[in-house]
Amino acid sequence: MSYQPRQIYTVITTQSTAAMSSNTNQDPKARVPLNYNFLFLTVAIKKRSRVPGVMIIQYFEELPEGQTTPDFTRKPVAATVQEGKKAFFKAKVKGIPLPTVTWGRNNGETNDPEKYMTRYDDREQEHFLEMPNIEPEQADTYRCFATNEYGQALCSVTLKVIEAGFKKKGPLGMNVQAPLDFRAMLKKHVVVKRKKQLAPRVDGEMDPKIWELLLSAQRKDYEKICLDYGITDFRFMLKRLKQLRKEKEDEQAKVLEKLENVKQIEVKPDGKAEFSLDMTLLDPNSTINLYKDGIMVEYGDDENSKHSLKKDGTSYVFSINNPQPEDAGFYQVDVEEANVIATDFQVPDVEFIAKIKDVKVYESEDALFQCVLTTPLNRITWSKPDSSLEDGDKYEITASEDKLIHTLKVKNCEKSDNGEYYAIAGIISSKATLTVEADPDGSKNRKGAQTGDQDDLIKLALEQQAKLQKEKDDLEAARRAQAEKDAADAAARAALGDGGDGSGIGSGDGSGIGSGFGSGDGSGGRRDGDEGDGKDKNKNLLTDGDDDKKGEEDDADKKKRRAGAGSLVPDTDIALLQAASQDHSVQFVSGLSDIGANVGERAEMSCKLSSDNSEGRWFKDGKLLTEDDGVTLLKDGACHKLVIDSCKKDDTGVYRFEAEGRKSEATLNIQDPPKIDLDALGKFTKPVIVKAGENAEWKLPISGGKPIYVQWYKDDDELLPALNVKIETSDTEGQLRLLKCQRKDTGEVKIKIKNEFGTTEAISKLIVIDKPTPPQGPVDITESALTSVEFKWKPPKDDGGCPVTNYNIQRQQVGRNKWANLSDVPGSDPNYRDSDVDPGRRYSYRIRAKNTEGISDYLQTTDIPAGILRYPGSPTGLKVVSSFKDCINLTWCPPSDTGGTKLVGYNLEKNKKGTNYWSLVNQEGPIPHTKHAVKDIIEGSAYVFRVSAINLSGAGDPCIPCDTVIARDPMKPPGKVTDLKLTSSNYTTFSLAWTKPKEIKGEEDEAHGYYVEIRPIESIEWARCNAVPITLTSHTVLGLKAMATYWVRVIATNYGGDGEPQGLDNYIIAMPPPVRPQFKDCKMKTFVVVRSGNTVRLNINFEASPLPDITWLKDGFPVAKHVTISNFDKGSQLLIPTSEWSDTGIYTITVRNLVGQESFNIEIRVTDDPRPPGPVQLDQNTPGTVTLSWAPSPDERRDDRLHYVLSKRDSFKRTWRTVHDNLFNNKFTVVNILPGREYYFRVFAKNDIGLSPPSKSPAFEIKKEKGHFKVNIPDIKSLDFKSPPSFIIPLKRRTAPEGYECYMTCAVKGDPTPRVTWYRNNISLNTDTNYHITNVCGVCSLRILRVGPNDDGEYKVVIENQLGTAESSMMLNIRG
């Protein structure tokens, strides 16, 4: 935003650098002009910077070409520092000419060199204001000014100081003198937590921050992190990284059970920066801290807060809302003292020159998204709305050589790829949409679609590179001009005798100042302003001629700036830029690129010029190349190629092509990975077959670059030299010998050969042949008849590497020692039939397997009987398939026990209902199959059937008879049941009843049974509750899930099939009928007293349906963690294992369900034996009375029901008598103290548990003075003592707490003694047993043992005698 400029005339006189305030720090290479006076017209134009919080004032309405006003690229960040620590602000500025940076503060000066020091970091180009030993009075708002002759940029930053020690604090950083309150300070003092700082970086070693990042990253992210920090080869780090990871995992194991899915910080499409991890804590209450640059950062669970934590189960997501450049830093998350993740949030100063554009493609095509940046970046983030994209099979993510053009290719697009795609660079993003349409032609593998014109994008990138190059050149020129002016001014002062301050720094052409671009985001290469070493290590790719021929360079060439080694500007683009700035006819369209090739392979380097007629020369390491050097030089129009048909090791070098003063240079790296001769590989891959006990040997010729490392593996386990393993390795051959191989050594043998250029593998196989293992049991006896025995077995588990040729069978008669060879059985059929057996004898058999290597151990059978009668078992599954008036079809399953012989057939029997006779159906002989059609039946008769199996020994037992079947034609299925209704239900069952369906002749026959089916409301499958049809018209369904919802239906069935189902109109909930919660125990206690330390157990029984929600509250708040709540269907229990004083309170149980809710209050008072009151003091203020006072019991503060009991005894009566109970104060006056007697008093503290030990008073006595005896006989007068009733002490208004005792008293007089009547709200209470009423010597009292809400109102005492009536009233209020 700009404002109307205000014209002013200004006279500016610049001063020398010695006159500058001490709070000024600037780049030593930048100086302001000295000792010149100007009168010129200026304007004050205010405008805002792109950096938030920075204001820029421009002095001139129009700036000269190439000059800019100052601005901040990184402004200072607010800080909070503890007293006595070091505080600092740092800022990074830009502008041409380079601005001067000064510092100030609102309330005070910054010119004290002991408190404020300014410096400039030439390497990082950062300006610092440092305060070594911070004090509270330095807390203030500080200002940073960046000024040059064209304007000024300023910003403000706040410093807060936390005072050390226990001091009462006012506003932060200000001392307030006030009385010390240590208790308040213990509660309110602030502790700033700082994380243990990382070890400082040591020159020549890696930054410790990189190790922390790698330890927290996944292995696939190592290369990205190393590239960001300029590390091109991280393999040397893996060993130490493994050791550090183990140490870190040991530390994490103290607080974590599991840690996985760690993701580094990324900016998401919604604008938030997030990093996440999944972790399971050993202690759920462990503290989780977030640190930024070692300082703890507060975070919350609100998504709108700056830093937030979102927890979902074991997933933790940390977010930075609306990230800004000042949010950049090194973030760490600790659980207790163990670090679990570290991530570096970098915010590069970058914008989009060209954003990504919408793309429309057909299916199977590739889609391209491309963008162009203002600043080179190694990589940017590509994302969809819900996830980040990684380079892989589906997505190809690339960047141009200059790191300005970034590309995302979506391969083989499908409909599912439709949607929005984001390109995120730093904290800015660009969005575009991908639309995938169906291919109208149905063709596949179309060429990928591209966003925009590729040439336009390259042109934009080149223009941006030219702009960056120009800014570098202008900056360098400004520095040089400033240095020259400084030198001239210093010389002028020296001539005038002014020595100045000697602070000027000379700068010549030989300073070797590098201005190359840094790789990536600036972390890997040299930065602007880095001083060179003067040795010209960086080759100049823009000069004309050969670098080795220094004498041929002219003066202009010597002054050209050299590009840094880490330049992001590719050679071809620099050549293009240089060519664009000069008027030459030929240019490079595409330059040389670095390539690599293996020894013996073909290598080709090419470039393209803008002219077909231009000729060029090729150089290697500065030496001119010709075709005599073993290379082929080709020219095809504007394209020039260098070809090496068979690369050698010495072909490695830097190749350069020159044409008409233009140069392009690239490196050829020749690699020599391990190689294996193909013929030798063919022999190696053939299996090595040896016999058990023999040696196996492998030899393989190898070649490749030295050194070569050879490793041998067997079944993926590395082989190391041992007694039976011999390994020999040379530069040309690898050899392995395995001695005395056994059958278990059979497996895969692999050789792995590697060197610095790569790895290759070859696989062979070892087969060790041996005799087979024994055949496998158990032996199954398939037949045991009178004349034969047949059995079978399983082949050996290991055939020894050779097929089993046959089995050898031996037999032994039980009771004899001799084994006889029977015969050999072919190996393909593990079965044997012995026909030479004697009936009644038992035999044992041995079976051995044979192969070409020998015979196995034997497998011996159990004793097998021959010729013993064994009948088969009963068949199973007999059922009626169909029934007609003249035929019934049956089927069954064979028995599991055949009796040791084959089955001959089956006998089928029938029984006509009403008779006891079973008749054989198959009169012709056994039935050979497991089904039969019975035709010898009478229409309309009912039958049952049974079947038995027959083997060589005879028929076995029959099976269980089948269900009754009637000989008649098939029936029609029945109709729907009627009047289906629910009769009862609870949480696990419900009962149904219905009416039998009506029979409709020809359409619906009679129902013989019913099926009940249920279906949970969330399911689509019906489940039958009864496998067999029920004959009753009611049924109870069991095994339901409480409160589950079910659909129910009933199906009538008969022999003709199932009828149509009939269901209820509404679903059924497995629950009893709705019942409003109500408490069943009418004698539940409402007040419970427990001694401290004892267990409290409250059992509350209730009735409610459906199952209610039960809530316990203590004084309106949730109960404490040590209170255990156990809920049941019909009750709930509150358990306090060890009660404490703090458990005292009113506990409320609330039972709530869909019908309603009910609550019940129980007061629990946890107390203990009271401690006695303090010493008792006696005072006599009125004759005949004594006033007792005592110190309160220590328990009075925490027990509001504690009161005191006073008792006395005198020297005349030796027994103790209670004077007063229920004293809630610490003073009481005892009357009727008689002279001449000694009185003793005791005071007890009393609570709900009982009495405390007494506090005893000293003896009290009133001396009795003896007077002279004198008898005065008075005149006798008749007196009338009658008087109307009156109140000596009336009733007084009272407020009593609910649940406590209330005591009301008054004193009356009258003669004759008046009659006393108590009223509440004009209702007499004299006969109400809930009130305790006494009248002793005119003192009338009413006691309410437990005050309730219904006891409030007006209480009145009416006294009356013959002479009159009097009354006194009061209001009783109940406090809840």
Side-chain angles (χ1 to χ4, degrees):
M1 180 183 294
S2 300
Y3 299 87
Q4 183 65 32
R6 178 169 51 88
Q7 294 187 355
I8 56 175
Y9 285 93
T10 306
V11 177
I12 298 180
T13 302
T14 59
Q15 301 295 328
S16 66
T17 55
M20 294 176 60
S21 173
S22 60
N23 64 343
T24 302
N25 64 304
Q26 64 177 24
D27 183 355
K29 302 181 181 63
R31 290 288 183 267
V32 297
L34 304 176
N35 296 330
Y36 293 95
N37 295 335
F38 299 94
L39 177 63
F40 50 87
L41 180 65
T42 66
V43 294
I45 302 175
K46 293 184 178 180
K47 60 181 182 179
R48 294 192 180 276
S49 167
R50 290 174 58 185
V51 179
V54 176
M55 177 65 71
I56 299 176
I57 301 175
Q58 182 174 316
Y59 295 158
F60 300 94
E61 189 170 3
E62 293 184 1
L63 299 179
E65 183 178 357
Q67 307 300 307
T68 63
T69 56
D71 196 0
F72 286 85
T73 58
R74 182 181 299 168
K75 69 173 187 176
V77 180
T80 300
V81 184
Q82 190 170 0
E83 181 182 355
K85 302 294 184 179
K86 178 180 179 181
F88 66 90
F89 296 120
K90 60 181 179 179
K92 199 171 183 179
V93 300
K94 65 179 180 180
I96 301 176
L98 198 66
T100 300
V101 175
T102 59
W103 300 85
R105 57 179 290 189
N106 282 358
N107 302 312
E109 300 293 336
T110 59
N111 52 10
D112 186 349
E114 295 183 358
K115 293 184 178 181
Y116 302 96
M117 295 186 295
T118 60
R119 65 180 180 88
Y120 175 74
D121 187 339
D122 184 71
R123 178 178 179 83
E124 301 291 340
Q125 298 182 2
E126 291 178 335
H127 300 262
F128 287 84
L129 173 63
E130 296 179 345
M131 290 157 273
N133 189 7
I134 198 71
E135 297 178 359
E137 57 269 17
Q138 291 179 265
D140 200 352
T141 299
Y142 288 78
R143 295 180 180 274
C144 183
F145 303 88
T147 309
N148 67 8
E149 56 189 273
Y150 300 105
Q152 183 183 71
L154 62 94
C155 65
S156 300
V157 62
T158 303
L159 173 64
K160 296 182 179 180
V161 180
I162 299 174
E163 298 182 36
F166 296 105
K167 298 180 181 179
K168 183 79 174 180
K169 292 186 178 180
L172 192 62
M174 307 271 307
N175 288 339
V176 179
Q177 299 299 327
L180 295 179
D181 183 355
F182 290 100
R183 177 175 297 178
M185 287 187 289
L186 287 173
K187 292 180 180 178
K188 299 179 181 179
H189 74 279
V190 180
V191 178
V192 176
K193 292 189 176 180
R194 287 180 174 269
K195 182 173 176 61
K196 182 179 179 181
Q197 298 294 319
L198 298 175
R201 180 174 181 177
V202 180
D203 292 339
E205 296 185 3
M206 282 183 51
D207 190 346
K209 182 167 68 174
I210 301 178
W211 290 111
E212 289 294 326
L213 291 175
L214 293 175
L215 288 173
S216 299
Q218 301 181 25
R219 191 179 183 90
K220 64 184 181 66
D221 297 328
Y222 287 176
E223 186 173 357
K224 296 178 183 178
I225 295 174
C226 290
L227 185 60
D228 288 343
Y229 288 88
I231 302 173
T232 57
D233 186 2
F234 60 87
R235 289 176 294 180
F236 72 94
M237 306 160 52
L238 295 179
K239 183 175 182 181
R240 184 183 176 193
L241 190 62
K242 183 177 181 181
Q243 178 184 357
L244 294 176
R245 184 179 295 278
K246 184 178 184 305
E247 295 175 358
K248 186 170 185 178
E249 289 174 350
D250 292 342
E251 181 182 3
Q252 293 173 348
K254 299 177 182 178
V255 294
L256 298 182
E257 181 179 336
K258 183 168 63 174
L259 175 65
E260 57 187 3
N261 297 334
V262 177
K263 296 182 180 179
Q264 295 292 313
I265 194 166
E266 277 188 351
V267 177
K268 299 297 182 180
D270 59 2
K272 293 184 178 181
E274 295 182 355
F275 60 96
S276 63
L277 67 160
D278 293 348
M279 61 179 176
T280 304
L281 304 178
L282 292 177
D283 180 6
N285 298 322
S286 297
T287 303
I288 301 176
N289 295 324
L290 174 65
Y291 296 89
K292 176 192 173 188
D293 296 330
I295 299 176
M296 189 170 71
V297 178
E298 296 294 334
Y299 63 86
D301 54 5
D302 183 8
E303 294 183 356
N304 296 324
S305 59
K306 183 63 177 177
H307 300 87
S308 63
L309 167 61
K310 180 180 179 182
K311 181 178 181 295
D312 184 7
T314 60
S315 176
Y316 295 78
V317 180
F318 290 86
S319 303
I320 303 175
N321 195 20
N322 189 23
Q324 298 296 326
E326 56 266 24
D327 294 321
F330 187 64
Y331 288 84
Q332 295 171 281
V333 175
D334 286 9
V335 176
E336 298 298 343
E337 299 298 327
N339 176 254
V340 295
I341 183 174
T343 184
D344 192 16
F345 184 34
Q346 300 179 357
V347 183
D349 184 11
V350 65
E351 295 287 346
F352 285 101
I353 297 177
K355 297 186 176 182
I356 59 176
K357 299 179 180 179
D358 295 343
V359 179
K360 183 182 293 184
V361 297
Y362 293 111
E363 288 184 298
S364 301
E365 287 185 339
D366 295 344
L368 287 180
F369 293 96
Q370 289 184 309
C371 60
V372 182
L373 306 179
T374 59
T375 303
L377 290 182
N378 281 337
R379 69 178 187 278
I380 65 174
T381 300
W382 293 93
S383 175
K384 297 181 74 171
D386 55 350
S387 62
S388 299
L389 306 181
E390 299 289 342
D391 189 45
D393 296 336
K394 181 63 179 177
Y395 305 101
E396 180 181 327
I397 298 174
T398 57
S400 62
E401 189 177 0
D402 56 8
K403 307 300 182 183
L404 290 177
I405 302 177
H406 291 260
T407 305
L408 168 67
K409 178 189 286 186
V410 184
K411 302 178 183 177
N412 194 20
C413 291
E414 302 172 353
K415 286 286 188 181
S416 59
D417 296 322
N418 276 320
E420 296 177 341
Y421 288 76
Y422 295 83
I424 303 173
I427 56 177
I428 64 170
S429 63
S430 173
K431 179 179 72 173
T433 303
L434 171 61
T435 304
V436 182
E437 299 179 348
D439 188 354
D441 302 331
S443 58
K444 301 292 183 181
N445 299 324
R446 289 173 173 264
K447 186 177 179 181
Q450 182 172 321
T451 63
D453 188 354
Q454 183 72 11
D455 293 339
D456 292 342
L457 293 176
I458 295 176
K459 182 178 179 182
L460 287 174
L462 293 177
E463 290 176 352
Q464 182 63 19
Q465 278 290 6
K467 181 179 177 181
L468 294 174
Q469 188 74 19
K470 187 174 184 303
E471 289 180 357
K472 298 290 183 179
D473 293 341
D474 292 343
L475 184 62
E476 181 68 18
R479 286 178 175 170
R480 291 182 180 275
Q482 192 69 39
E484 292 174 358
K485 288 182 178 180
D486 290 344
D489 293 337
R493 287 195 305 272
L496 297 174
D498 182 7
D501 61 353
S503 60
I505 300 178
S507 177
D509 292 340
S511 62
I513 298 176
S515 58
F517 296 85
S519 65
D521 57 359
S523 60
R526 299 178 60 193
R527 296 171 173 80
D528 296 343
D530 288 355
E531 291 190 4
D533 56 4
K535 297 181 181 179
D536 195 17
K537 293 181 179 180
N538 298 320
K539 294 186 178 180
N540 188 349
L541 304 182
L542 304 179
T543 56
D544 296 332
D546 192 346
D547 289 341
D548 295 336
K549 301 178 181 180
K550 300 297 181 179
E552 297 178 6
E553 295 181 348
D554 55 14
D555 295 337
D557 290 336
K558 291 181 181 179
K559 294 182 179 179
K560 290 185 178 180
R561 182 178 54 85
R562 300 182 179 272
S567 174
L568 285 175
V569 186
D571 300 337
T572 174
D573 292 341
I574 292 179
L576 287 170
L577 292 172
Q578 190 72 7
S581 63
Q582 301 177 7
D583 186 15
H584 288 289
S585 58
V586 65
Q587 298 180 9
F588 278 100
V589 176
S590 61
L592 299 179
S593 299
D594 293 345
I595 62 172
N598 293 336
V599 173
E601 294 181 354
R602 186 174 185 269
E604 179 180 310
M605 305 181 77
S606 64
C607 61
K608 186 175 182 180
L609 300 176
S610 60
S611 173
D612 294 345
N613 301 322
S614 298
E615 298 292 338
R617 296 182 299 169
W618 290 88
F619 295 86
K620 177 194 173 187
D621 296 331
K623 179 182 176 182
L624 182 64
L625 292 177
T626 63
E627 297 205 359
D628 294 337
D629 295 321
V631 298
T632 303
L633 306 179
L634 302 176
K635 179 180 181 301
D636 183 9
C639 184
H640 296 260
K641 297 182 179 179
L642 180 146
V643 179
I644 303 175
D645 292 325
S646 180
C647 293
K648 301 176 183 178
K649 192 67 177 175
D650 55 2
D651 289 330
T652 298
V654 178
Y655 290 77
R656 184 173 73 250
F657 179 78
E658 296 184 1
E660 300 183 14
R662 300 290 178 262
K663 301 179 183 180
S664 181
E665 192 173 90
T667 302
L668 172 62
N669 293 315
I670 304 300
Q671 302 176 348
D672 191 7
K675 293 184 290 295
I676 303 174
D677 182 70
L678 294 180
D679 294 337
L681 181 61
K683 295 178 181 179
F684 181 83
T685 55
K686 293 180 180 179
V688 175
I689 303 175
V690 297
K691 294 183 178 182
E694 295 181 349
N695 300 337
E697 184 177 8
W698 290 267
K699 292 183 180 180
L700 186 62
I702 57 178
S703 61
K706 310 300 185 294
I708 295 180
Y709 304 96
V710 177
Q711 293 173 297
W712 291 88
Y713 296 85
K714 181 178 176 298
D715 295 331
D716 294 331
D717 293 330
E718 185 176 1
L719 295 175
L720 299 175
L723 293 176
N724 61 334
V725 180
K726 304 297 181 183
I727 298 176
E728 296 181 5
T729 304
S730 66
D731 292 340
T732 58
E733 184 181 65
Q735 181 177 354
L736 170 67
R737 293 182 64 204
L738 300 180
L739 308 180
K740 297 180 180 180
C741 296
Q742 302 298 322
R743 174 66 183 157
K744 63 181 180 180
D745 294 329
T746 298
E748 181 184 86
V749 176
K750 179 172 67 176
I751 182 174
K752 181 183 288 187
I753 310 164
K754 61 182 179 181
N755 63 7
E756 61 177 324
F757 303 110
T759 303
T760 186
E761 297 179 354
I763 298 176
S764 181
K765 189 173 183 180
L766 171 63
I767 300 176
V768 181
I769 57 176
D770 199 357
K771 65 181 182 180
T773 58
Q776 298 184 83
V779 175
D780 294 333
I781 302 172
T782 57
E783 181 180 332
S784 177
L786 293 173
T787 59
S788 64
V789 172
E790 186 175 355
F791 53 88
K792 61 181 180 180
W793 61 91
K794 296 179 182 178
K797 187 175 182 179
D798 181 10
D799 61 3
C802 302
V804 174
T805 57
N806 50 29
Y807 295 95
N808 177 257
I809 310 297
Q810 294 180 328
R811 185 183 73 182
Q812 180 194 54
Q813 183 178 327
V814 176
R816 296 185 180 181
N817 296 326
K818 182 179 178 182
W819 288 88
N821 283 320
L822 297 181
S823 65
D824 286 349
V825 178
S828 58
D829 185 18
N831 179 72
Y832 183 72
R833 180 183 181 86
D834 187 4
S835 302
D836 185 16
V837 295
D838 296 331
R841 298 189 182 278
R842 304 172 72 87
Y843 296 91
S844 179
Y845 296 86
R846 286 180 178 175
I847 309 166
R848 296 187 180 185
K850 291 183 180 180
N851 66 4
T852 56
E853 298 301 316
I855 188 168
S856 72
D857 295 334
Y858 58 78
L859 167 67
Q860 185 170 340
T861 67
T862 58
D863 297 342
I864 301 175
I868 298 177
L869 295 178
R870 288 185 59 200
Y871 299 102
S874 300
T876 58
L878 176 62
K879 64 180 179 179
V880 178
V881 177
S882 60
S883 174
F884 301 92
K885 65 182 180 179
D886 56 357
C887 179
I888 297 175
N889 294 308
L890 303 168
T891 184
W892 60 88
C893 297
S896 58
D897 180 14
T898 62
T901 61
K902 295 181 179 179
L903 295 179
V904 176
Y906 300 92
N907 283 337
L908 180 62
E909 299 174 289
K910 69 178 179 180
N911 170 257
K912 185 178 179 181
K913 276 292 187 181
T915 67
N916 296 324
Y917 175 71
W918 288 89
S919 61
L920 186 65
V921 174
N922 51 307
Q923 299 289 343
E924 299 83 4
I927 301 172
H929 306 294
T930 58
K931 62 182 178 179
H932 190 72
V934 182
K935 298 183 179 180
D936 184 15
I937 56 177
I938 300 173
E939 182 180 359
S941 299
Y943 296 91
V944 292
F945 297 89
R946 68 185 185 184
V947 65
S948 57
I950 307 170
N951 65 4
L952 297 177
S953 298
D957 295 332
C959 69
I960 299 174
C962 69
D963 295 334
T964 302
V965 58
I966 301 175
R968 61 184 178 185
D969 288 338
M971 302 177 65
K972 296 289 185 180
K976 292 183 179 180
V977 301
T978 58
D979 299 331
L980 177 62
K981 58 186 177 181
L982 177 70
T983 58
S984 65
S985 67
N986 57 33
Y987 290 118
T988 58
T989 66
F990 58 74
S991 298
L992 303 170
W994 60 88
T995 302
K996 185 175 181 179
K998 295 182 179 180
E999 184 177 354
I1000 302 175
K1001 190 173 182 180
E1003 295 182 7
E1004 298 175 353
D1005 287 341
E1006 180 185 5
H1008 292 163
Y1010 306 93
Y1011 291 107
V1012 178
E1013 295 183 340
I1014 62 173
R1015 175 174 69 85
I1017 197 169
E1018 67 274 5
S1019 175
I1020 61 174
E1021 299 293 335
W1022 288 91
R1024 283 195 172 174
C1025 303
N1026 52 308
V1028 178
I1030 55 176
T1031 57
L1032 300 177
T1033 57
S1034 62
H1035 184 68
T1036 299
V1037 180
L1038 307 176
L1040 302 179
K1041 184 178 179 181
M1043 297 304 296
T1045 306
Y1046 298 91
W1047 291 103
V1048 184
R1049 67 184 185 183
V1050 177
I1051 302 173
T1053 186
N1054 60 17
Y1055 292 117
D1058 296 340
E1060 294 185 11
Q1062 175 64 49
L1064 293 173
D1065 294 336
N1066 295 318
Y1067 52 77
I1068 297 176
I1069 300 177
M1071 57 173 280
V1075 176
R1076 190 179 189 278
Q1078 56 185 357
F1079 297 99
K1080 296 192 294 186
D1081 190 357
C1082 60
K1083 296 182 179 180
M1084 289 188 297
K1085 295 181 180 180
T1086 59
F1087 183 75
V1088 178
V1089 178
V1090 182
R1091 188 184 299 276
S1092 178
N1094 289 356
T1095 299
V1096 179
R1097 183 180 283 103
L1098 299 179
N1099 291 306
I1100 305 297
N1101 298 322
F1102 56 80
E1103 182 180 5
S1105 177
L1107 290 175
D1109 294 327
I1110 302 171
T1111 305
W1112 282 90
L1113 299 176
K1114 174 181 177 288
D1115 298 329
F1117 297 95
V1119 297
K1121 292 183 179 179
H1122 68 278
V1123 179
T1124 302
I1125 304 296
S1126 301
N1127 296 325
F1128 314 100
D1129 291 349
K1130 296 184 179 181
S1132 180
Q1133 183 189 74
L1134 179 142
L1135 176 66
I1136 306 177
T1138 304
S1139 59
E1140 301 174 354
W1141 286 76
S1142 59
D1143 294 324
T1144 297
I1146 297 177
Y1147 289 78
T1148 303
I1149 177 175
T1150 302
V1151 183
R1152 179 188 295 108
N1153 66 3
L1154 300 176
V1155 184
Q1157 73 175 38
E1158 192 68 26
S1159 298
F1160 185 74
N1161 296 332
I1162 304 173
E1163 182 178 356
I1164 297 177
R1165 179 162 293 278
V1166 180
T1167 183
D1168 209 338
D1169 290 327
R1171 287 177 284 183
V1176 179
Q1177 296 180 359
L1178 302 176
D1179 296 313
Q1180 181 181 7
N1181 298 324
T1182 304
T1185 67
V1186 61
T1187 301
L1188 286 76
S1189 60
W1190 58 90
S1193 169
D1195 296 331
E1196 184 176 308
R1197 288 187 178 181
R1198 58 179 180 176
D1199 191 346
D1200 56 358
R1201 288 175 60 90
L1202 184 138
H1203 57 276
Y1204 300 97
V1205 178
L1206 176 64
S1207 63
K1208 74 172 182 177
R1209 74 173 176 85
D1210 56 29
S1211 57
F1212 183 73
K1213 294 181 180 180
R1214 311 300 290 181
T1215 59
W1216 289 93
R1217 182 172 65 87
T1218 300
V1219 177
H1220 203 282
D1221 198 353
N1222 296 314
L1223 283 173
F1224 285 90
N1225 55 15
N1226 306 113
K1227 182 182 290 187
F1228 186 78
T1229 300
V1230 182
V1231 298
N1232 298 327
I1233 301 299
L1234 301 177
R1237 295 186 183 182
E1238 286 189 350
Y1239 289 87
Y1240 300 91
F1241 300 94
R1242 295 190 304 187
V1243 179
F1244 300 86
K1246 184 178 180 181
N1247 63 8
D1248 294 309
I1249 293 294
L1251 293 173
S1252 71
S1255 289
K1256 299 180 181 180
S1257 70
F1260 180 79
E1261 180 182 6
I1262 299 178
K1263 297 294 184 180
K1264 184 176 181 181
E1265 297 180 359
K1266 293 183 180 182
H1268 298 285
F1269 181 79
K1270 182 179 180 180
V1271 178
N1272 295 322
I1273 301 175
D1275 295 335
I1276 298 174
K1277 296 179 181 180
S1278 60
L1279 299 175
D1280 185 5
F1281 293 97
K1282 291 183 180 181
S1283 65
S1286 63
F1287 285 91
I1288 301 174
I1289 300 176
L1291 293 176
K1292 296 181 180 179
R1293 181 184 180 93
R1294 291 181 62 86
T1295 299
E1298 181 181 352
Y1300 287 80
E1301 182 179 88
C1302 181
Y1303 196 79
M1304 293 177 280
T1305 60
C1306 63
V1308 301
K1309 67 179 181 177
D1311 190 18
T1313 302
R1315 181 174 176 270
V1316 179
T1317 305
W1318 287 84
Y1319 293 88
R1320 175 182 172 273
N1321 295 333
N1322 296 323
I1323 298 174
S1324 176
L1325 302 178
N1326 282 22
T1327 60
D1328 194 334
T1329 58
N1330 293 324
Y1331 300 87
H1332 183 225
I1333 299 174
T1334 60
N1335 185 358
V1336 179
C1337 299
V1339 178
C1340 303
S1341 64
L1342 181 143
R1343 178 181 297 179
I1344 305 175
L1345 298 178
R1346 186 176 181 83
V1347 175
N1350 298 327
D1351 292 325
D1352 62 345
E1354 181 185 35
Y1355 285 78
K1356 181 168 64 175
V1357 177
V1358 177
I1359 55 176
E1360 57 185 348
N1361 63 9
Q1362 299 171 355
L1363 301 179
T1365 302
E1367 65 181 36
S1368 175
S1369 63
M1370 55 84 72
M1371 292 297 297
L1372 175 62
N1373 296 324
I1374 307 301
R1375 184 175 70 248

